[in-house]
Amino acid sequence: MKKSRVFITFLAIVLVAAAVAVFLYTDRQSKSLIKVKGTSELMYEQWKMQNGCLEDPKACDDSAYSKQFNSWFSQFLQYKASKEQTPQFKYYQFLKELDELYVPDLNSGGLVALGAGCVSLIIFFILIAYLSGGQKKVKAPKYDKTAKRESVSKSKAYQAVSSKPDAQALLSKAAKCADSEPAQAISYLEQAIEGSLSSKLSVSALLLCGSLRLKNKIGEEQGKRQLQRVIALSPQGQEGKKAQIVLDTFK
């Protein structure tokens, strides 16, 4: 969308500049042709006065200079006429005629019509740029990528929560394999601790998990921290006393 607007703006500038350049160049050529014609006619009239052509016009017309001038002047008029038939001269003459028709008092020589035409051209291209921008918005609507990512994240989070195993089932599995597979039991217990256990069951799970770690030498430092947490949560309860006994036993 931005590229198309830039291109349309650039095209408008080029066309306006070209219109102004052609007008000014043609105006200079037209004035130059008029000046040459007037100067030539004036010089010929001066020659005629200096050579007494008023008294004997036929003698002047038969002179070599007069014949040479008339031949050159005829060719010049043909050249001028052919130039005035070119597209740029017709465009220039058209603008001049518009000024003479609508603003004769200004004597602007086509500049008013040129200015009005350039403004109209710019407005036309602005409308094209605006309409093209609007169409692109309809055809290619933007989607909120942030909102889409948030939706995907929420969906994944919901799936993760819904896929978590039941904490009570994990405790039951841990109790069954505590003696035969202590590492698996520890894994079950820690999953249950991370789940939605009640405070009482959470303390019991921590006690059993820490005890299994120290007894089987599986992450003993982690086991000590778990037992110390049990003591902090239940300093006067049975779980706290048992945790202290296990710590004292496996120093």
Side-chain angles (χ1 to χ4, degrees):
M1 181 179 67
K2 290 182 179 179
K3 289 183 178 179
S4 65
R5 287 185 175 179
V6 169
F7 174 75
I8 291 171
T9 303
F10 175 75
L11 183 60
I13 293 171
V14 169
L15 290 176
V16 169
V20 173
V22 169
F23 178 86
L24 295 177
Y25 176 74
T26 308
D27 180 65
R28 186 166 63 249
Q29 280 192 318
S30 177
K31 290 177 179 178
S32 177
L33 290 173
I34 293 171
K35 183 179 179 181
V36 170
K37 180 176 178 294
T39 303
S40 301
E41 290 176 331
L42 179 60
M43 290 175 65
Y44 182 63
E45 290 300 323
Q46 289 176 346
W47 177 84
K48 287 169 66 175
M49 290 177 63
Q50 291 173 359
N51 289 272
C53 292
L54 296 177
E55 299 175 358
D56 189 3
K58 190 175 184 309
C60 288
D61 291 340
D62 293 337
S63 66
Y65 177 81
S66 182
K67 290 179 180 180
Q68 185 180 4
F69 174 81
N70 288 331
S71 175
W72 173 85
F73 194 68
S74 176
Q75 293 176 5
F76 171 78
L77 292 178
Q78 290 178 6
Y79 170 77
K80 182 174 179 294
S82 65
K83 289 290 288 184
E84 289 173 350
Q85 294 303 312
T86 57
Q88 66 264 29
F89 265 85
K90 288 183 177 180
Y91 156 73
Y92 167 75
Q93 191 61 36
F94 173 71
L95 294 179
K96 285 188 67 176
E97 289 173 358
L98 285 178
D99 276 13
E100 291 172 1
L101 180 62
Y102 293 104
V103 285
D105 296 337
L106 293 179
N107 193 26
S108 57
L111 289 174
V112 173
L114 175 66
C118 290
V119 170
S120 300
L121 188 65
I122 291 171
I123 293 173
F124 172 73
F125 276 97
I126 288 173
L127 288 173
I128 291 178
Y130 174 77
L131 293 175
S132 64
Q135 289 176 355
K136 286 191 175 181
K137 287 181 181 177
V138 173
K139 290 181 180 178
K142 291 184 178 180
Y143 295 97
D144 190 343
K145 293 183 179 179
T146 303
K148 187 176 180 180
R149 285 197 297 269
E150 289 179 355
S151 176
V152 172
S153 299
K154 288 180 180 179
S155 176
K156 288 182 178 178
Y158 174 77
Q159 290 175 1
V161 171
S162 62
S163 63
K164 283 185 178 180
D166 180 71
Q168 293 286 359
L170 289 169
L171 290 178
S172 177
K173 289 180 180 180
K176 289 179 181 180
C177 65
D179 294 331
S180 59
E181 298 180 38
Q184 184 62 56
I186 291 169
S187 176
Y188 287 144
L189 288 168
E190 292 192 340
Q191 289 181 58
I193 292 167
E194 293 175 357
S196 55
L197 287 174
S198 65
S199 58
K200 180 69 176 175
L201 287 176
S202 179
V203 171
S204 298
L206 282 169
L207 175 61
L208 181 56
C209 188
S211 299
L212 286 172
R213 283 185 177 279
L214 292 182
K215 180 180 177 182
N216 295 281
K217 300 183 183 302
I218 302 173
E220 295 173 82
E221 292 300 322
Q222 176 68 12
K224 289 179 182 179
R225 287 194 291 271
Q226 288 174 333
L227 293 173
Q228 289 168 354
R229 185 178 174 191
V230 171
I231 295 170
L233 292 172
S234 179
Q236 303 299 326
Q238 291 297 320
E239 289 81 2
K241 292 177 182 179
K242 290 178 182 179
Q244 187 62 55
I245 292 171
V246 174
L247 284 171
D248 293 340
T249 302
F250 296 98
K251 282 184 178 180

